[in-house]
Amino acid sequence: MHDAQIFDPRSTDCKSPYGAVPSGTAVTFTLRPDRSWGFSRVTMLARFESSENRTVERNLHWDGLDGRRDRYNCTLEVGDYVGLVWYSFCMESLDGRRADLGEYQLTVYDDSETVPGWFGEGVTYQIFPDRFRRRTVPSPQGMIGGRSVHTGWREEPAYRPDENGEIRNRDFFGGSLAGVREKLPYLRSLGVDTIYFCPIFEAPENHRYGTGDYEKIDPMLGDEKEFRAMCAEAHDLGMRIMLDGVFNHTGFVSRYFNGDGSYQTQVPGAAQSPDSPYRKWYNFIRWPDQYDSWWGIYSLPAVNESEPSYMDYIIKGENSIIRRWLRAGADGWRLDVADELPDAFVHALHQAVRETKPDAMVIGEVWEDGSSKIAYGVRRKHILGGHCDGLMNYPFRNAAISYLLGGDAKDFMEAMERLRANYPPFAYHSTMNALGTHDTPRILTLLGVGSPCAEQSRDWRASYRMDREQMARGIARLKLGTLILYTFPGSPTVYYGDEAGMEGFEDPFNRRTYPWGEENEALIAWYRMLGQFRHRFTALRRGEITYHTAKGRLLVFRRTFGEEQVVTAVNAGERERRVCLPWAARDLITGETFPRFANGECHVNMPPLTGRLLVPAEE
């Protein structure tokens, strides 16, 4: 007995409507057991998780035959419920035999708000600000954090522990907002629609994830005037700006905690005085030297996000951090470690974003399926409406890399189809899809070498550079991966320098400086071409997805919007394959055309490690 033959939760023949449903929907379920199995009674149990696991039982009614199969169906009204429904079926025969199917997930979301489509439709470019572009070598004098500045732009980032055994990330290269402004035309030429910045607020470390002052652009990057000018120029070029919101923790070196006294302010930090107005922001186990911190890292003291004064400062106040920087020119926020922010905090932030700039977006950092994520014992509401508009799509990255490195295309399809079924449409089409980020090894290295080489020493990984064969293999696989990336639902997101051929293993080797003047121009041309295709075809920005083939090393899917259709075909294997289509095809990448034969079929040859973007050709 094959469950999928009886009930497939991703088929509208078995469950209608497809996938996640808005609150208020009546969902119809149909089971088709083989008549010879003799099942005469079918029941459904539906558990409404967010309503204290309230369970509803439904009898499925016999509704005739489909060939040799009985057809049983029922309808489940979800009412005003929002959350996950877990449902299962029990089939029973007159002689007492029974068979169970499930549990299956049904996502019920709040659709009372229209989510802007610009993020998911556009191309995103992620910038690590210190390493993208500098105009001059800055002086660190007077800046917090005991910084040093590399005089040579192409020097290696510091990666060894200091004399105290710490890796402090205090070496800077001096990338700036002025440098980004200079390269805005370049980014637009790549087809970039959204620039996503890693943190830009004042902070002691080069990654700036331990915020020192949310009200101040880091002086090495520039100031608020420079930020406003950059946003205005980006907007004039048709691009938007997304900021990194790091609200789960601040810096040990910050005006709020002020653990080392670096901030000479009239208002004492939480570690300086128990009477500090910031004292309630932190959870001290023993004041002032024992406190909760992010993953136990002392330099990143965790905040109490539910503390009213903190919520007012970050979110609710008229001039809160969220509102202030949206008014200054930002168009959205990416929430760092969204799983560690309370749902109430994220909901309030979402409301403030919409009130301040109605078309602004909120994207959450989540590494798993965000529809069913449990964090700290709580099922999260990330994409049930009124929280995150979309999430970082690490499941896409994991599935794509596995496929490119030898996995079965079917596994990629299954992983992605699970997300499509579980995510509300607004969230599925607003995912931030990426092959690499500041938290992962450079994608070119990973695809060329084949692994992160974690078994090797850190010194080995620091000095490693791919040989010619590895580089060629990495580029070939990267082209296939980016073809999938740019033609998949959600925003294709490029980590700065991936388009230029940057290589490197984990942090900080994945955070080297952009190689201006030493770029791989052929690779840049490839990314530019994909960006043009993304802009040219509505189907690639908004279209639905169906899979033509997902077997072995061959992956073929179709995006359709109205009469427009575009087919992505990828052969990640070492032997030639063939794709059969019902219409004459033209490959947009090579210009080749493939006619239809007399039998009505078009045969498209797929050489090893080849990708094609196919559209109907005139006959």
Side-chain angles (χ1 to χ4, degrees):
M1 181 188 299
H2 298 289
D3 291 359
Q5 294 178 345
I6 306 170
F7 178 77
D8 180 357
R10 299 204 297 259
S11 169
T12 53
D13 289 336
C14 297
K15 174 185 161 293
S16 182
Y18 172 85
V21 300
S23 181
T25 301
V27 186
T28 300
F29 299 90
T30 302
L31 268 65
R32 292 175 174 82
D34 194 296
R35 190 163 184 76
S36 65
W37 295 335
F39 293 121
S40 58
R41 183 171 185 264
V42 182
T43 56
M44 172 187 185
L45 287 179
R47 178 168 57 89
F48 289 68
E49 182 181 77
S50 298
S51 294
E52 298 181 346
N53 286 316
R54 175 176 64 92
T55 301
V56 173
E57 183 172 347
R58 290 283 183 271
N59 289 317
L60 278 73
H61 304 288
W62 188 80
D63 190 34
L65 291 171
D66 276 349
R68 59 185 178 85
R69 293 181 175 274
D70 287 306
R71 185 173 62 243
Y72 290 91
N73 58 42
C74 73
T75 298
L76 179 69
E77 299 275 358
V78 300
D80 60 0
Y81 176 79
V82 172
L84 299 187
V85 178
W86 300 97
Y87 63 95
S88 58
F89 302 98
C90 178
M91 301 182 295
E92 300 174 87
S93 66
L94 291 175
D95 61 5
R97 288 181 299 108
R98 59 180 288 165
D100 298 311
L101 301 177
E103 285 186 314
Y104 305 102
Q105 174 183 327
L106 171 64
T107 305
V108 184
Y109 63 96
D110 179 357
D111 71 338
S112 59
E113 177 186 68
T114 299
V115 174
W118 59 263
F119 177 78
E121 293 181 20
V123 175
T124 301
Y125 191 89
Q126 180 186 358
I127 290 179
F128 192 84
D130 185 58
R131 310 289 163 84
F132 181 65
R133 176 70 170 175
R134 76 179 178 191
R135 299 289 297 277
T136 60
V137 180
S139 168
Q141 186 174 358
M143 298 183 187
I144 62 165
R147 311 179 187 196
S148 64
V149 178
H150 294 266
T151 55
W153 179 248
R154 299 290 281 144
E155 292 177 9
E156 189 73 7
Y159 66 91
R160 293 189 178 95
D162 62 15
E163 61 276 8
N164 296 318
E166 292 186 77
I167 299 175
R168 303 186 71 221
N169 298 297
R170 302 297 173 91
D171 64 312
F172 287 74
F173 283 84
S176 66
L177 297 184
V180 175
R181 284 180 67 189
E182 179 187 301
K183 293 300 180 181
L184 288 177
Y186 163 71
L187 296 178
R188 191 55 178 166
S189 78
L190 288 176
V192 172
D193 300 286
T194 304
I195 302 173
Y196 153 47
F197 282 95
C198 289
I200 62 172
F201 304 124
E202 182 173 66
E205 297 96 354
N206 53 47
H207 53 69
R208 299 187 174 95
Y209 277 94
T211 310
D213 189 343
Y214 291 106
E215 299 179 35
K216 185 179 180 183
I217 301 294
D218 193 279
M220 199 170 282
L221 291 174
D223 56 22
E224 185 171 336
K225 181 180 178 181
E226 185 68 48
F227 174 77
R228 288 175 176 268
M230 180 197 66
C231 290
E233 289 186 25
H235 292 158
D236 287 344
L237 290 171
M239 294 184 287
R240 304 188 195 229
I241 303 297
M242 178 168 286
L243 298 181
D244 211 332
V246 187
F247 303 129
N248 165 262
H249 50 269
T250 67
F252 176 85
V253 179
S254 69
R255 57 179 279 202
Y256 318 105
F257 195 83
N258 214 4
D260 66 348
S262 291
Y263 280 85
Q264 303 296 314
T265 61
Q266 292 183 343
V267 179
Q272 294 177 296
S273 169
D275 298 322
S276 168
Y278 306 121
R279 170 68 179 78
K280 293 181 180 179
W281 290 16
Y282 303 92
N283 179 32
F284 285 93
I285 300 163
R286 186 186 69 192
W287 186 87
D289 58 349
Q290 290 186 18
Y291 47 87
D292 285 344
S293 60
W294 184 72
W295 285 56
I297 301 172
Y298 84 89
S299 61
L300 300 175
V303 299
N304 298 319
E305 297 96 339
S306 300
E307 163 58 33
S309 63
Y310 182 72
M311 288 194 72
D312 285 344
Y313 180 72
I314 297 294
I315 299 172
K316 294 186 175 182
E318 179 58 29
N319 197 35
S320 68
I321 297 305
I322 289 295
R323 300 180 194 272
R324 171 179 177 166
W325 293 107
L326 288 174
R327 293 186 185 120
D331 301 286
W333 289 92
R334 175 265 193 189
L335 301 183
D336 185 58
V337 294
D339 283 336
E340 304 189 37
L341 300 171
D343 284 329
F345 183 92
V346 177
H347 177 60
L349 187 149
H350 179 274
Q351 285 186 308
V353 166
R354 287 291 198 272
E355 290 169 2
T356 308
K357 185 174 283 190
D359 66 342
M361 296 285 285
V362 178
I363 304 296
E365 180 196 15
V366 177
W367 286 64
E368 302 86 6
D369 179 337
S371 69
S372 57
K373 181 66 187 290
I374 294 176
Y376 300 96
V378 176
R379 183 84 69 186
R380 303 310 305 272
K381 299 179 180 179
H382 291 314
I383 50 175
L384 295 181
H387 291 77
C388 296
D389 299 312
L391 303 173
M392 297 184 74
N393 198 353
Y394 279 100
F396 169 88
R397 175 185 179 270
N398 297 339
I401 290 175
S402 178
Y403 164 61
L404 294 169
L405 291 180
D408 195 316
K410 182 181 180 181
D411 295 332
F412 174 85
M413 179 189 72
E414 286 296 316
M416 294 301 95
E417 286 294 271
R418 279 195 298 272
L419 286 191
R420 188 164 73 97
N422 290 343
Y423 279 33
F426 73 81
Y428 179 72
H429 287 275
S430 296
T431 50
M432 180 185 280
N433 301 337
L435 294 172
T437 71
H438 64 293
D439 287 325
T440 65
R442 283 283 173 181
I443 185 60
L444 183 58
T445 296
L446 201 53
L447 295 179
V449 177
S451 83
C453 294
E455 73 281 1
Q456 300 289 347
S457 72
R458 199 159 165 80
D459 285 338
W460 183 92
R461 294 195 299 277
S463 62
Y464 190 86
R465 298 297 184 275
M466 288 187 287
D467 60 32
R468 182 175 298 180
E469 181 181 347
Q470 290 172 324
M471 179 65 75
R473 181 168 59 242
I475 289 175
R477 288 172 170 168
L478 180 57
K479 285 185 174 182
L480 301 184
T482 48
L483 177 59
I484 298 170
L485 176 72
Y486 272 75
T487 59
F488 208 76
S491 178
T493 301
V494 178
Y495 182 45
Y496 82 101
D498 278 351
E499 83 280 10
M502 288 182 66
E503 54 180 304
F505 290 104
E506 80 286 2
D507 166 29
F509 316 122
N510 60 351
R511 302 177 182 182
R512 296 185 175 112
T513 54
Y514 189 101
W516 298 109
E518 304 172 38
E519 305 97 316
N520 184 323
E521 293 290 351
L523 197 53
I524 288 177
W526 173 263
Y527 276 80
R528 187 172 285 129
M529 177 184 66
L530 293 179
Q532 291 169 351
F533 291 148
R534 181 84 180 189
H535 280 227
R536 177 177 168 186
F537 293 99
T538 307
L540 296 183
R541 300 192 305 276
R542 305 179 190 172
E544 296 302 315
I545 184 171
T546 54
Y547 288 84
H548 178 285
T549 305
K551 184 177 181 181
R553 309 299 289 130
L554 186 64
L555 175 66
V556 185
F557 58 85
R558 178 185 291 109
R559 300 292 305 279
T560 55
F561 187 86
E563 296 298 314
E564 185 179 89
Q565 56 181 320
V566 183
V567 171
T568 299
V570 172
N571 177 12
E574 300 296 333
R575 64 183 183 89
E576 184 166 319
R577 300 294 300 273
R578 187 174 72 179
V579 175
C580 297
L581 297 174
W583 32 262
R586 178 167 60 91
D587 182 3
L588 294 169
I589 296 171
T590 65
E592 293 174 80
T593 58
F594 303 90
R596 277 199 301 176
F597 294 111
N599 65 358
E601 285 189 347
C602 168
H603 295 170
V604 180
N605 69 303
M606 297 292 300
L609 291 176
T610 295
R612 296 191 186 278
L613 197 59
L614 302 165
V615 295
E618 293 183 7
E619 297 185 81

